[in-house]
């Protein structure tokens, strides 16, 4: 028993960090059993991320790949997938993903907020409503993905990010409270912040080694 919920969540995150440390099939089974029970609170997610980064024997990208393997053990609309995707995207924050391809995953609310994504490909993924406040994207590709809502505030930094056959259901722009639903207006706003739409992909973007959307 814990007197304070924050301590319970801290030790929950630490325990999950211990589960992942073996990086084998047993780790996957234990994580699957834990993740399918419900969504992990943010405090537990943060404790897990810190536990992994503190463990010098673990490579964040390898742990990310293991988390995505665990997520594939369940359906796209599941606690398992959302927990795995939430934890994975925090672990790859700021690191070069080497062209890692993530397919058929669901990401939770504000999963893209404040994240620094580099050299990664998302295919047929679903993103719940998310702010792009302080978000950075460099050499990222989103292929046939669906975004429930994107909120812009002017602080995002986009360098060679491609949306290919993606659907952005709605958009809220910096300084505005009006939600944009029209696909033409949404496309125009996306281009204004530096996102390359499929029909305007420049030669060479997406063709380099390790980056093949």
């Amino acid at each position: 028993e814990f007197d304070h919920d924050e301590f319970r969540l801290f030790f929950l995150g630490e325990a999950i960090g211990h589960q992942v440390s073996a990086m084998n099939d047993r780790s996957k089974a234990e994580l699957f059993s834990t993740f399918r029970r419900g969504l992990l609170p943010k405090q537990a997610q943060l404790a897990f991320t810190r536990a992994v980064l503190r463990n010098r024997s673990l490579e964040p990208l390898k742990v990310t790949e293991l988390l995505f393997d665990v997520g594939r053990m369940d359906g796209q609309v599941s606690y398992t997938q959302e927990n795995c995707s939430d934890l994975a995207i925090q672990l790859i924050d700021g690191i070069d993903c080497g062209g890692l391809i993530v397919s058929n995953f669901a990401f939770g609310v504000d999963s893209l907020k404040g994240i620094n994504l580099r050299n990664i490909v998302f295919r047929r993924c679903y993103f719940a409503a998310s702010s792009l406040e302080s978000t950075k994207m460099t050499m990222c590709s989103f292929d046939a993905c669906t975004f429930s809502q994107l909120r812009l505030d002017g602080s995002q930094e986009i360098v060679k990010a491609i949306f290919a056959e993606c659907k952005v259901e709605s958009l809220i722009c910096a300084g505005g409270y009006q939600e944009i639903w029209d696909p033409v207006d949404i496309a125009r706003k996306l281009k204004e912040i530096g996102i390359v739409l499929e029909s305007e992909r420049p030669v060479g973007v997406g063709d380099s080694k390790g980056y093949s959307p």
Side-chain angles (χ1 to χ4, degrees):
E1 294 292 333
F2 294 94
D3 292 333
H4 300 288
D5 196 50
E6 59 188 74
F7 289 134
R8 180 184 68 82
L9 295 177
F10 169 78
F11 285 110
L12 173 60
E14 287 280 322
I16 298 172
H18 179 72
Q19 287 178 335
V20 81
S21 60
M23 294 291 292
N24 55 24
D25 288 341
R26 181 174 179 177
S27 294
K28 294 179 183 180
E30 291 178 350
L31 291 169
F32 178 64
S33 177
T34 299
F35 290 159
R36 68 187 310 186
R37 298 174 187 172
L39 290 178
L40 288 176
K42 292 296 183 183
Q43 286 177 281
Q45 293 180 20
L46 181 59
F48 167 82
T49 302
R50 288 176 174 172
V52 170
L53 296 178
R54 191 173 61 243
N55 188 337
R56 295 185 178 180
S57 67
L58 295 176
E59 297 180 30
L61 193 56
K62 294 294 185 183
V63 176
T64 297
E65 292 172 346
L66 182 139
L67 288 171
F68 284 129
D69 285 344
V70 173
R72 293 187 187 96
M73 297 166 67
D74 213 338
Q76 191 175 42
V77 183
S78 64
Y79 291 136
T80 306
Q81 275 224 2
E82 191 163 340
N83 283 323
C84 288
S85 61
D86 283 347
L87 294 174
I89 206 163
Q90 292 178 43
L91 285 177
I92 60 176
D93 183 14
I95 69 174
D96 189 323
C97 293
L100 175 68
I101 297 174
V102 181
S103 302
N104 301 304
F105 251 82
F107 292 82
V109 173
D110 276 339
S111 58
L112 297 174
K113 182 179 180 180
I115 295 294
N116 182 359
L117 296 174
R118 299 171 58 198
N119 199 8
I120 187 168
V121 179
F122 296 94
R123 290 181 177 164
R124 299 177 300 279
C125 291
Y126 174 83
F127 293 85
S130 180
S131 168
L132 294 187
E133 179 184 349
S134 300
T135 299
K136 297 181 180 180
M137 295 182 186
T138 305
M139 294 295 289
C140 298
S141 178
F142 297 83
D143 295 349
C145 294
T146 297
F147 301 84
S148 174
Q149 180 193 82
L150 291 177
R151 301 189 303 278
L152 314 178
D153 78 336
S155 64
Q156 64 277 338
E157 297 180 23
I158 311 297
V159 181
K160 294 184 180 178
I162 297 169
F163 279 22
E165 298 183 20
C166 291
K167 180 180 181 181
V168 179
E169 295 179 343
S170 71
L171 193 71
I172 297 179
C173 298
Y177 299 95
Q178 185 176 4
E179 198 164 4
I180 300 173
W181 300 87
D182 183 77
V184 175
D185 290 338
I186 290 174
R188 178 170 55 83
K189 292 294 184 182
L190 292 177
K191 287 185 284 187
E192 285 178 2
I193 66 170
I195 291 175
V196 178
L197 304 184
E198 184 186 41
S199 60
E200 298 181 356
R201 178 180 301 194
V203 175
V205 176
D207 298 330
S208 60
K209 184 177 180 182
Y211 179 73
S212 52

